[in-house]
Amino acid sequence: MGVFIQAALFPGGEELKCRIALQRAADDKSLAVRLGGCRWHLYDKGPAVLLNDGCCGYEALAERLSASLAGPVMVLYIYDDDYWGYFLWENGTELDQFASLPDYFGAGSPPDRPGNAALAARLFGVEEKVIAPYFLPWDEEQMGSYAREGDQAVIGDSWQMADFMEALGFDYDLLCPPASEEVHDLQQAAPMAPAELNQEITKGHPLPVDTPTLPDALNDRAYALKRAAEVRDLAPETVALVENMQYQSAVAPLSQAIQAHPDRAGLYLLRAFCWSQTEGLATGLSRKPDMDRDLGKALELEPDNVMALRARCPTAGTTARYRRHITELTRLMELDPENRDYHQVSRAYRYHWVGDDQAARADLQAVLDRGKIWTVDLTYLCQELGLIS
């Protein structure tokens, strides 16, 4: 599989409003936007976000984002490392689109449209001549040459998208900071009362941050290896497969080990981890229901397992499971006090989704009163339920 990348640029946009617009778009599960996997940077010309791996946004995402914002939105993409393009929308209306390889999927898909350099130049505040060389679909005779002096990628290389972004005033590399720069210490700011928070959001400072992705039984390899060591005596060859990251091959022997030892929580947790590592790598049904069942079996044996509880809440999304999530998030608030606020915000969402907005508001108000976190998730639901304007 090649490279699939998507980024959204918001020239002239306000970062908070753009983050909230992405949060709202993420409610559409078909877009597969995972807020925790997105990376933001505020440029001189406006904010931009690098979308998570597996995002299926493209034109639909550009449309959704533009419907929530007053200014233009450009969603750029690299498709399978074969070509790049963009969708440009404003106020819910398409302004322009471009693909470096039109007719890639067949005649008219993507359409053979050269893109409007004059329009993009005006919206991004650059000279048309600076970006015009990128607006011509690739031609065999030009392959291997550069659109502009100083470019990093030649014509025919999908990473020409990054050169185009830089010409617009959005350096792609700034969306990929070193890991140390991605860490947010959310406890540094002094607690603020809700009224003070409302004043701060009104003047645009401080900006909310993304909810951190907490380690859990599905995403933490170190935890999986620890549990694997505990069951090595039961299935040494299977544990070796997991240690060598041969997750798909490990599933069948893990199933056999579970049949022989149904009382060992580590086996269920290990199989759930293997399912999670193979999710999306092959065609077929999603393994999320299998993860959910395995985590449930593990919790029957270890009801206070924080790593399993953290993992189980987001694995499925029906009304019945939301009610189960409420119970498990309540337990997590007791077992995992360090992350209590994040769990309580998550519980507020579940209350909202099952129609109990009174309980959702109570959860949000408790988090605001403690004043320890200020996240996009918290901001969005507080606005949705009228706790802040």
Side-chain angles (χ1 to χ4, degrees):
M1 182 178 291
V3 175
F4 292 84
I5 290 176
Q6 295 182 71
L9 314 183
F10 306 89
E14 296 180 31
E15 186 174 6
L16 174 58
K17 291 181 180 179
C18 295
R19 283 177 178 261
I20 291 174
L22 184 63
Q23 167 77 55
R24 289 173 175 164
D27 290 340
D28 183 347
K29 301 305 180 186
S30 69
L31 301 179
V33 173
R34 290 186 295 102
L35 297 174
C38 299
R39 296 176 177 176
W40 288 85
H41 185 77
L42 181 59
Y43 297 82
D44 291 340
K45 293 189 174 183
V49 59
L50 181 65
L51 281 304
N52 59 278
D53 290 343
C55 175
C56 299
Y58 299 99
E59 188 169 16
L61 177 60
E63 181 179 7
R64 288 291 300 271
L65 291 172
S66 71
S68 302
L69 298 167
V73 177
M74 176 181 281
V75 173
L76 297 115
Y77 63 89
I78 289 176
Y79 187 86
D80 205 14
D81 208 17
D82 286 340
Y83 74 98
W84 71 276
Y86 69 74
F87 301 99
L88 181 59
W89 283 66
E90 186 172 17
N91 295 324
T93 301
E94 182 187 277
L95 300 181
D96 191 28
Q97 65 173 277
F98 170 77
S100 62
L101 275 182
D103 304 328
Y104 176 85
F105 297 102
S109 179
D112 187 359
R113 294 172 57 177
N116 190 330
L119 173 64
R122 176 175 61 81
L123 293 176
F124 284 85
V126 298
E127 294 184 62
E128 182 179 349
K129 66 181 181 181
V130 173
I131 60 173
Y134 301 104
F135 282 76
L136 296 175
W138 290 339
D139 185 281
E140 287 292 338
E141 296 181 359
Q142 298 175 324
M143 294 293 192
S145 61
Y146 292 95
R148 291 180 63 240
E149 184 178 352
D151 279 357
Q152 299 297 310
V154 297
I155 295 172
D157 184 341
S158 61
W159 282 101
Q160 189 185 50
M161 182 195 79
D163 292 324
F164 176 63
M165 284 179 58
E166 186 166 3
L168 293 175
F170 290 78
D171 183 350
Y172 176 83
D173 288 342
L174 294 178
L175 287 172
C176 303
S180 61
E181 295 182 16
E182 297 178 27
V183 178
H184 299 282
D185 185 357
L186 302 181
Q187 309 301 328
Q188 290 299 313
M192 289 186 290
E196 293 172 318
L197 288 173
N198 198 28
Q199 291 172 4
E200 290 295 311
I201 193 173
T202 301
K203 68 181 183 182
H205 179 79
L207 289 170
V209 298
D210 292 329
T211 301
T213 300
L214 300 175
D216 62 40
L218 297 181
N219 66 24
D220 192 322
R221 175 172 162 79
Y223 178 74
L225 292 178
K226 175 184 174 182
R227 298 310 302 254
E230 296 172 6
V231 297
R232 190 185 301 275
D233 60 320
L234 304 180
E237 294 180 0
T238 305
V239 168
L241 290 173
V242 175
E243 291 173 337
N244 291 315
M245 295 188 287
Q246 298 179 43
Y247 302 120
Q248 195 162 0
S249 299
V251 169
L254 274 171
S255 299
Q256 295 174 355
I258 286 171
Q259 288 181 345
H261 306 280
D263 59 341
R264 296 295 292 270
L267 293 170
Y268 294 105
L269 291 168
L270 207 53
R271 188 170 65 176
F273 178 77
C274 289
W275 287 132
S276 74
Q277 299 308 296
T278 59
E279 181 77 358
L281 298 182
T283 58
L285 296 175
S286 170
R287 291 299 182 177
K288 285 185 171 59
D290 299 291
M291 297 179 221
D292 190 70
R293 283 193 293 271
D294 279 347
L295 291 169
K297 286 290 188 180
L299 284 166
E300 289 178 10
L301 298 166
E302 299 177 358
D304 291 342
N305 186 317
V306 169
M307 296 291 277
L309 284 167
R310 285 181 185 170
R312 196 175 185 227
C313 285
T315 55
T318 64
T319 300
R321 286 194 173 96
Y322 289 149
R323 296 189 184 282
R324 188 198 72 197
H325 292 176
I326 290 170
T327 300
E328 294 179 350
L329 285 164
T330 301
R331 185 61 179 145
L332 267 174
M333 289 167 61
E334 300 171 1
L335 295 172
D336 189 21
E338 181 180 353
N339 296 297
R340 177 183 178 184
D341 288 313
Y342 302 126
H343 300 317
Q344 194 157 12
V345 171
S346 294
R347 190 175 71 173
Y349 271 91
R350 269 65 175 187
Y351 278 131
H352 176 54
W353 291 335
V354 300
D356 191 349
D357 284 350
Q358 182 177 354
R361 289 189 182 92
D363 269 349
L364 295 172
Q365 191 64 60
V367 174
L368 291 174
D369 289 344
R370 287 193 290 271
K372 293 182 178 179
I373 68 167
W374 187 228
T375 64
V376 174
D377 290 328
L378 173 61
T379 304
Y380 173 68
L381 194 55
C382 282
Q383 290 185 325
E384 185 80 6
L385 297 181
L387 290 179
I388 60 175
S389 58

